[in-house]
């Protein structure tokens, strides 16, 4: 209902749509029209009411399900949540379909990689996407790489920013972290039953207060950025990409947008630290590190710190 009403308001000739027309188009009473308008106003949509009808003056940068067109039934919007990873896992275990999204304004216990916390205050974009690729677990890294590649391409296209991917799945602008990703999956009879990709993107928040080496999109562009536009662009692009018959092109394409290769890096895992030159990413997404003694070390996971 909200989606239809907003569509009428945005497409109204001259910007104004009468209560009578809304009531006719939506098949509801005039009183009901007014109640729906009031609800939208309470949700921060600025709608002016006059004797001739209603006019939408401004819409919030909202991530409400009805803002996402045909995706509406797949969007699970929560003003506040412990972690979207947890909610998405519960939904996936209950059978939520692929491309379901759990998105929250705030997370009370946002999770980062390697057991770290992810500060998730208002203004950022925090969501987990449920994927259902019917592939063996060894192939899932391509999906995470596809996600970071698609997001970088959307940021470049929509905002014109110089976003780059850093192995394994961070996104940086001016060498500062703007986005982190976290993947979680369940496997059944050798095949992935769900792969949840959690994405935390600094948009209109101020992450530098807690994480000095991070940056938000609004700080780069100098003005507020629409989270909805980024999320929608990302979902559309990723869905198109994942519908292709094979994903062999993902890692080669990802390599064209990375900041990691040909750089000296330090890799820190939970048990070890390695230093060397990042020379390549193999087809499974592992980083090939050339150590000081010229031997090659394959690294499957870890934190990657760029050295000067
Ligand atoms: C990282 O450490 O770089 C990964 C950060 C991932 C954060 C996102 S925010 C949405 C989703 N929910 C979480 O609790 N974590 C991920």
């Amino acid at each position: 209902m909200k989606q239809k009403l907003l569509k009428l308001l945005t497409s109204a000739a001259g910007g104004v749509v009468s209560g009578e027309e809304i009531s006719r188009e939506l098949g509801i009473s005039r009183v009901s029209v007014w109640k729906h308008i009031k609800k939208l106003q309470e949700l921060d949509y600025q709608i002016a009411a006059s004797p001739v009808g209603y006019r939408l003056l401004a819409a919030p940068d909202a991530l409400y399900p009805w803002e996402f067109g045909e995706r509406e039934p797949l969007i699970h919007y929560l003003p506040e949540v412990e972690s979207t990873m947890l909610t998405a896992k519960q939904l996936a275990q209950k059978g939520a379909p692929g491309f379901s999204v759990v998105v929250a304004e705030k997370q009370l216990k946002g999770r980062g990689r390697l057991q770290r916390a992810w500060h998730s205050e208002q203004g950022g974009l925090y969501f987990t996407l449920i994927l259902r690729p019917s592939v063996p677990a060894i192939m899932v890294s391509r999906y995470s790489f596809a996600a970071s590649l698609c997001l970088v391409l959307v940021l470049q296209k929509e905002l014109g920013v110089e976003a780059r991917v850093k192995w394994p799945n961070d996104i940086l602008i001016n060498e500062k972290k703007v986005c982190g990703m976290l993947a979680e999956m369940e496997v059944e009879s050798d095949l992935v039953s769900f792969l949840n990709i959690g994405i935390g993107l600094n948009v209109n928040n101020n992450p530098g207060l807690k994480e000095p080496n991070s940056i938000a999109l609004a700080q780069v562009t100098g003005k507020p950025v629409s989270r909805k536009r980024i999320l929608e662009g990302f979902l559309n692009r990723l869905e198109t990409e994942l519908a292709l018959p094979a994903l062999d092109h993902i890692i080669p394409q990802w390599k064209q947008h990375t900041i990691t290769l040909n750089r000296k890096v330090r890799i820190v895992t939970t048990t070890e630290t390695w230093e060397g030159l990042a020379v390549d990413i193999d087809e499974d997404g592992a980083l090939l590190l050339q150590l000081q003694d010229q031997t090659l070390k394959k690294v499957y996971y870890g934190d990657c710190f760029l050295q000067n």
Side-chain angles (χ1 to χ4, degrees):
M1 187 60 81
K2 287 193 183 64
Q3 189 172 144
K4 284 187 186 152
L5 177 51
L6 283 165
K7 209 167 172 189
L8 280 176
L9 287 166
T10 40
S11 57
V16 182
V17 55
S18 69
E20 194 188 330
E21 188 181 339
I22 299 176
S23 138
R24 196 177 52 245
E25 290 287 331
L26 302 186
I28 55 174
S29 70
R30 295 284 293 271
V31 176
S32 193
V33 169
W34 170 237
K35 280 191 187 152
H36 283 292
I37 294 278
K38 232 174 117 197
K39 271 211 186 110
L40 285 175
Q41 287 171 330
E42 281 161 15
L43 292 169
D44 256 10
Y45 289 85
Q46 289 178 39
I47 302 169
S50 74
V52 280
Y54 301 101
R55 181 195 286 271
L56 178 65
L57 303 173
D61 175 30
L63 301 166
Y64 302 129
W66 56 84
E67 288 285 345
F68 292 87
E70 287 179 2
R71 293 191 189 278
E72 180 170 353
L74 294 176
I75 307 284
H76 301 263
Y77 169 84
L78 298 157
E80 192 175 279
V81 73
E82 184 175 321
S83 159
T84 58
M85 296 309 285
L86 185 65
T87 313
K89 185 177 182 177
Q90 290 162 347
L91 283 174
Q93 283 169 340
K94 281 192 210 140
F99 268 84
S100 297
V101 174
V102 178
V103 61
E105 295 288 345
K106 267 199 229 166
Q107 299 185 110
L108 302 175
K109 282 195 193 153
R111 297 188 207 151
R113 292 179 60 240
L114 307 176
Q115 323 270 311
R116 280 188 303 254
W118 183 262
H119 303 292
S120 316
E121 69 279 354
Q122 198 91 26
L125 176 57
Y126 313 108
F127 68 98
T128 299
L129 171 66
I130 300 176
L131 296 177
R132 296 219 178 254
S134 221
V135 296
I138 179 108
M139 290 186 71
V140 294
S141 68
R142 294 189 193 182
Y143 291 79
S144 311
F145 278 78
S148 54
L149 172 66
C150 287
L151 190 49
V152 151
L153 295 174
V154 167
L155 296 179
Q156 291 174 355
K157 178 170 168 255
E158 298 288 334
L159 305 173
V161 294
E162 294 247 339
R164 295 276 178 272
V165 275
K166 184 182 73 137
W167 186 87
N169 283 305
D170 285 353
I171 298 179
L172 309 192
I173 298 178
N174 301 334
E175 302 218 354
K176 291 195 168 203
K177 183 157 167 170
V178 73
C179 175
M181 290 191 190
L182 187 65
E184 204 170 80
M185 67 170 166
E186 263 184 30
V187 179
E188 235 181 83
S189 322
D190 291 344
L191 289 180
V192 172
S193 68
F194 65 81
L195 166 66
N196 288 353
I197 299 185
I199 300 188
L201 180 65
N202 298 318
V203 185
N204 302 311
N205 53 320
N206 191 353
L209 297 174
K210 286 186 179 133
E211 300 281 348
N213 211 22
S214 58
I215 198 162
L217 292 172
Q219 291 169 324
V220 181
T221 60
K223 52 179 190 246
V225 170
S226 161
R227 296 172 306 163
K228 183 212 146 184
R229 194 166 138 208
I230 304 292
L231 179 53
E232 193 167 44
F234 167 73
L235 293 172
N236 291 345
R237 187 144 209 163
L238 186 64
E239 198 162 39
T240 308
E241 209 62 62
L242 297 187
L244 295 173
L247 298 181
D248 302 343
H249 63 291
I250 294 291
I251 290 183
Q253 214 181 324
W254 188 96
K255 289 200 265 185
Q256 292 173 11
H257 294 272
T258 188
I259 197 172
T260 307
L261 294 181
N262 302 318
R263 288 283 296 260
K264 280 196 173 155
V265 297
R266 191 168 75 243
I267 305 295
V268 181
T269 73
T270 42
T271 50
E272 289 164 312
T273 297
W274 304 93
E275 276 188 5
L277 184 69
V279 287
D280 205 358
I281 310 285
D282 78 3
E283 57 182 18
D284 299 323
L287 177 69
L288 300 182
L289 203 59
Q290 188 177 53
L291 304 177
Q292 248 170 9
D293 63 5
Q294 304 304 306
T295 55
L296 278 185
K297 165 93 193 151
K298 218 181 214 198
V299 189
Y300 291 95
Y301 83 101
D303 265 333
C304 170
F305 298 93
L306 301 169
Q307 312 291 94
N308 290 326

